[in-house]
Each structure stands twice: as C-alpha cells, then as structure tokens.
C-alpha cells in the first residue's frame, strides 16, 4: 500500500497485518512522535521493562513542546508551593479544575491527576527537569527564571469562592520560554534509558490484526516505506491539529480567525490514524484562545467591552478565559479601554485601535452605538471609586476609575490575531487506552498529549497541556508495556 508523503487530511485507513509479508523492525512498544507526551511514554514503558522504539517525523524530538513556555500545572502541595509559602491540597486542586476545565470535564482524569500531582512533580525532577522555589507575582508567565505563578482563574470570581486559591503554574527554571530546556532534559533521559529513536520517520498508517488489535505501523523513513511491528502496543503522541486547516474548518471553525500556534507537525495525523483504527475523537471544537491584550497584569485595571460598548466579564480572569468569551460569545470584536494612568506599551500582539480625549470620541472612533461606552464607563468608575464591581466582581485591587485622558482602546487587528491551539482529540481512558464510539477500547492503541482529548474540555489554565502530555503520556507508556497480548 503506497500512501503519499506529507499531510493527511481525512481519516487514515489502516493496513491489515495479514498483508504484510516482512516486518522491517520490531519492538514491544512503538511510540509515534517525540514531544513531551512521546518522551514520557517512552520513559515509563522502558521503566516497565519494555523495549521501546520511538519514531519522529522531524530530524529530532521536541515538537511543539520544545517551543512552549515550559509551564506545568501542578499542585496539591508540591515542594515549590510549600517553599513559597502556599497551602494546597489535591482536593482543592480537584475542586478548582472541575469548576474551570468545563463544560464536561473528565472527572476520572482530573481526580487521578490531582491525587498524583506531587508524585508527577518528583518524576519530572528525577528526569532532569528543574524548577526554582521562587514565586513570580507580576503576571502569569515568568520571563525570569522564577517557577511558581498563577496561570489560571484561581483568584478571580467565581473560582476564588469555589476552591481555596493557590498558584499552580510551575515553569521550568530558565529565563525566557523554557520548553526547549524541558525537552533537552526529557530527551537526554530517553538517551540514558536506551530508547531507540528513528528520526526523519513519518508514521503514515496503523497496522491492525483481526484478533490482536493494533500491532504496528507503516512509516516512511528517508523516502522508504517500512513496516514496524509492536508486540504490545502503539502510543500515538503526535500533537494536536491546529495546523491542519481542513480539520480546523471541519471541527473547530470558530478558531479559523485566530492565529494557529504550534509546529507544522500539529496536523492531526495521529488523531486521523486513531479514527481509522476505530477510535473516537471528542471535544474537537475545544481550543485555547488567548486574548493577547489583557496581559500584563496592570491591564486588568482596564475595562473590557464588546461591540455594543458593554462589559461581559471581570477583567481579572485569565487571558484564555477572556479569549474564549471574547471569541465564542462576542464574535471576537472586543476592546480593552485604558486611560493614560494604566496604559503600558508592551510588545504583545495587540494594537491601539483608537484614542480619544473622552468616551464620546472613543465611541465614535470604534463605531460603538452612541452613549453606550460612556454609560458603561460612568457606571464602572462610580463603582470602582467605592472599590466595588457588583456586575462582574473584579477583585478590588484592580478597580481604579479610568479618569486620566487620553483614553485608548486596545484590540486585535487582522494582523494581530488571538493565538490558538486545539484541545480535543482521541477519547482515551485515564490509562491512555483509546476508546471507540461505543465505549470499548481499541486493543493495543494508546494516545496522549495533543493527540488525545485531555483535562481541559474548554476552560484553559496554562500548564495543563504539558502536564497532560507528560502525566498521561507516562500512563499510556506504562499501560502499553504491561499489556498482556492474546
Ligand atoms: C507558543 C506555545 C507555548 C506553549 N506553552 C505552553 C506551556 O507553557 N504550558 C503548557 O502546558 N502548554 C503550552 N503549550 C501547549 C503545549 O506546548 C502542547 O500542547 C504540548 O507540547 C503537546 O505535546 P505533545 O507531546 O502532545 O506534542 P508535540 O510536542 O508537538 O510532539 C508531537 C511530536 O510528534 C511528531 N509527529 C507528528 N506527527 C507525526 C507522525 N505522523 N509521525 C511521526 N512523528 C510525528 C512531531 O514532529 C512532534 O515532535 C504551548 C504551545 C505553544 C504553541
């Protein structure tokens, strides 16, 4: 069977094992893709005693994980939280994630993740990932080498009333984006563990046996097709699908207007292969959408309004929550109103869309219905002067009347769009087994990371994706390694 090299766009057909005359190589566990999920699966499968072969379509491992900011969402009382003086527990973390990762969060996965989060922290450290016991209070994304920060809505209404807030963002200690540092550590650990790696090798299709399920894969390596046999299981760790415009148009059309972020290889190939083998994909419409102009933290004192000049959210929510509401409920046309006292020029991909000496001028420049913005700001300023926000409950420290002209409206233009990546993917059990639409498992097939639907059913907290990829990647690798083959 000859398939074209390059991008898959529809469900990938499987190949029957009975049609394969000779296997070119074999292993216990075959891992497809070597980002954070694939590396973690490889390490745990090896630790469980399996022979592991990892194939990677790029010249080396890393994937989107290596381009990320290196933030993990971890809690329940990690040594970093404790050293920085924050109290947390698995139950508080669970309450928060159940309330914020919805609608329809996967309770079983969230429970397991919270109960084992401290253990996962130690596993990462044991595999060379470094965190620093220092708290970054100036925002969500430390560009210093500090590790701990708030990376979600823990302090914002209504979540602060639903669970005791604690910072759970754990950024790999490094100045600037630290995903590269993270992947250096995990790939070095793979080398030491003796995982065999086939670079420049793109997996094209899965091989199935009528009785034993998924038993291997057909790959294309340096222009040649090769058949790889997996004695125990195959782990799909190929990342999400934000770079596959056809899949985005079909499954997540609302983010077509956003800026896709992630490597070119985030083309959904693993999801399509999993579908071809009988798996189900769920929450395919769910995406991270970042509203890039509600950060840095001082801009939380601004007022976020829609096309009608009305507020729609407390401005101290996390930028991903603001992004979801702005795109999904307001059609993406929103503006952050600031005055001269709080305006901070930043290098973020936002723009000053209009400037005015008063709200009447801003309204006219933004084509907002007359008197609407004026009314919103009059009400906001009156409440803020009393330290109150009865409409949306923004925290008092961000409530400052906007009274210092000139006033400006920040927003996105055609060029500066909201960054986005996908959160949906193959439906998996907490142990990584891929599930069929009727609730059975696809024997021998596992998925993790961006290729699987993870903890965030929508509402996104930064760090969730790398935690998802590594935590559930580990489980998928271990489960595949332990599989008893009929
Ligand atoms: C700019 C940016 C910053 C981010 N920052 C954070 C952050 O700080 N914290 C966080 O939690 N999340 C972050 N994310 C999201 C996070 O990086 C991803 O969700 C996560 O890295 C996914 O890991 P993965 O292992 O599933 O995929 P990847 O890391 O993308 O790994 C998949 C690998 O599979 C390979 N591959 C793909 N298809 C095939 C195929 N058919 N055959 C063989 N190999 C294949 C790819 O080349 C790649 O190496 C960020 C994303 C971006 C874009």
């Amino acid at each position: 069977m000859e398939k074209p090299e390059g991008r898959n766009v529809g469900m990938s057909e499987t190949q029957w094992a009975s049609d394969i005359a000779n296997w070119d190589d074999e292993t216990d566990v075959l891992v497809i893709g070597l980002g954070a999920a694939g590396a973690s699966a490889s390490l745990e499968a090896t630790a469980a005693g399996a022979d592991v072969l990892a194939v990677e379509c790029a010249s080396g491992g890393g994937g989107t994980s290596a381009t990320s900011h290196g933030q993990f969402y971890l809690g329940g009382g990690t040594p970093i939280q404790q050293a920085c003086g924050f109290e947390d527990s698995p139950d508080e973390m669970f309450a928060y994630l159940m309330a914020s990762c919805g609608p329809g969060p996967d309770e079983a996965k969230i429970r397991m993740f919270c109960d084992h989060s401290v253990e996962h922290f130690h596993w990462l450290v044991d595999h060379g990932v470094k965190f620093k016991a220092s708290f970054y209070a100036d925002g969500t994304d430390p560009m210093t080498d500090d590790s701990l920060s708030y990376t979600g809505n823990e302090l914002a209404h209504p979540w602060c009333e639903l669970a005791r807030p604690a910072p759970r963002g754990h950024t790999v200690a490094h100045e600037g984006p630290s995903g590269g540092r993270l992947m250096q550590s995990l790939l070095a650990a793979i080398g030491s563990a003796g995982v065999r790696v086939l670079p420049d090798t793109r997996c094209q299709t899965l091989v199935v046996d009528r009785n034993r399920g998924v038993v291997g894969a057909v790959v294309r390596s340096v222009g040649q097709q090769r058949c790889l046999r997996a004695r125990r299981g195959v782990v799909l760790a190929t990342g999400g699908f934000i770079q596959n415009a056809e899949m985005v148009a079909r499954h997540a059309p609302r983010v077509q207007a956003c800026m896709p972020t992630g490597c070119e290889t985030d083309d959904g190939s693993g999801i399509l292969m999993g579908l071809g083998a009988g798996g189900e994909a769920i929450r395919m419409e769910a995406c991270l959408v970042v509203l890039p102009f509600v950060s840095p933290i001082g801009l939380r004192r601004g007022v976020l309004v829609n096309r009608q000049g009305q507020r729609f959210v407390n401005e101290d929510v996390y930028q991903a929550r603001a992004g979801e509401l702005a795109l999904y409920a307001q059609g993406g046309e929103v503006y952050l109103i600031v005055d001269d006292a709080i305006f901070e020029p930043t290098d973020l991909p936002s723009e000053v869309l209009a400037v005015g000496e008063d709200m009447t001028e801003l309204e006219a420049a933004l084509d907002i219905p007359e008197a609407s913005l004026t009314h919103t700001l009059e009400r906001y300023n009156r409440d803020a002067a009393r330290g109150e926000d009865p409409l949306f409950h923004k925290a008092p420290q961000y409530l400052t009347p906007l009274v210092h002209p000139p006033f400006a409206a920040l927003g996105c233009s055609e060029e500066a769009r909201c960054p986005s990546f996908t959160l949906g993917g193959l439906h998996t059990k907490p142990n990584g087994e891929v599930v069929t639409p009727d609730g059975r498992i696809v024997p021998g097939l596992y998925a993790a990371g961006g290729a699987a639907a993870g903890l965030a059913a929508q509402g996104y907290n930064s760090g969730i994706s790398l935690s998802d990829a590594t935590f559930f990647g580990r489980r998928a690798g271990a489960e595949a390694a332990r599989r008893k083959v009929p």
Side-chain angles (χ1 to χ4, degrees), residues 80-379:
I80 301 288
Q81 288 179 312
Q82 287 179 0
C84 294
F86 292 99
E87 226 181 286
D88 196 11
S89 72
D91 285 344
E92 295 294 342
M93 184 180 177
F94 176 77
Y96 172 73
L97 286 180
M98 285 300 289
S100 71
C101 285
D106 187 327
E107 186 171 345
K109 278 188 184 169
I110 291 181
R111 186 75 257 180
M112 180 191 265
F113 176 62
C114 296
D115 287 349
H116 298 276
S117 189
V118 172
E119 182 275 333
H120 190 54
F121 170 87
H122 288 295
W123 183 89
L124 289 165
V125 171
D126 290 346
H127 288 86
V129 182
K130 291 193 171 42
F131 299 100
K132 186 176 164 192
S134 53
F135 178 60
Y136 181 77
D138 295 341
T140 56
D141 204 354
M143 285 296 139
T144 58
D145 66 350
D146 298 315
S147 280
L148 194 63
S149 65
Y150 280 96
T151 58
N153 297 295
E154 294 87 351
L155 292 167
H157 176 84
W159 298 276
C160 59
E161 280 110 51
L162 301 174
R164 187 181 55 216
R168 302 193 180 97
H170 287 63
T171 303
V172 175
H174 176 63
E175 283 188 19
S178 48
R181 189 55 65 95
L182 162 71
M183 287 313 298
Q184 268 175 14
S185 305
L186 292 183
L187 294 173
I190 277 189
S192 312
V195 173
R196 282 193 296 144
V197 178
L198 280 184
D200 298 310
T201 301
R202 184 176 175 86
C203 183
Q204 294 182 306
T205 189
L206 297 172
V207 179
V208 292
D209 177 285
R210 279 195 175 76
N211 302 316
R212 299 167 66 234
V214 176
V215 293
V218 179
V219 300
R220 192 150 190 106
S221 189
V222 207
Q224 284 199 325
Q225 203 171 59
R226 304 182 71 204
C227 300
L228 308 179
R229 177 166 176 245
R231 290 183 289 263
R232 298 190 200 166
V234 175
V235 181
L236 292 169
T238 46
F241 66 91
I242 195 68
Q243 299 292 2
N244 186 327
E246 294 91 337
M247 282 181 79
V248 169
R250 191 180 305 166
H251 299 290
R254 291 188 295 192
V255 300
Q256 280 178 293
C258 296
M259 179 172 66
T261 54
C263 289
E264 277 297 304
T265 49
D266 282 340
D267 63 2
S269 65
I271 297 172
L272 298 172
M273 287 187 270
L275 289 173
E280 182 185 26
I282 59 169
R283 305 200 199 117
M284 292 289 277
E285 75 293 347
C287 291
L288 159 86
V289 179
V290 174
L291 200 59
F293 49 87
V294 292
S295 181
I297 213 160
L299 290 180
R300 291 177 185 183
R301 291 177 291 160
V303 173
L304 200 53
V305 297
N306 61 14
R307 280 291 299 129
Q308 288 73 40
Q310 293 165 333
R311 289 177 75 209
F312 57 92
V313 68
N314 36 327
E315 293 82 357
D316 55 349
V317 292
Y318 186 52
Q319 55 186 355
R321 170 74 181 156
E324 287 165 18
L325 289 176
L327 184 72
Y328 299 161
Q330 307 297 338
E333 286 192 73
V334 301
Y335 313 106
L336 186 75
I337 309 300
V338 295
D339 72 355
D340 200 43
I342 67 170
F343 178 70
E344 302 177 39
T346 70
D347 55 2
L348 292 166
S350 62
E351 285 178 20
V352 176
L353 298 181
V355 179
E357 284 304 307
D358 55 29
M359 289 306 138
T360 313
E361 272 187 42
L362 265 193
E363 272 168 7
L366 295 168
D367 203 21
I368 283 176
E370 195 185 336
S372 178
L373 189 57
T374 309
H375 174 78
T376 296
L377 263 294
E378 276 172 7
R379 169 78 204 253

Side-chain angles (χ1 to χ4, degrees), residues 32-38 55-58 62-65 67-71 201-203 237-239 261-262 265-267 269 273 421 448-451 460 463-467 469:
I32 316 288
L34 210 41
V55 301
E56 166 57 52
C57 63
T64 297
S65 306
T67 69
S68 77
H69 294 185
Q71 285 189 318
T201 301
R202 184 176 175 86
C203 183
T238 46
T261 54
T265 49
D266 282 340
D267 63 2
S269 65
M273 287 187 270
F421 58 75
Y460 191 80
I464 280 284
S465 297
L466 286 176
S467 285

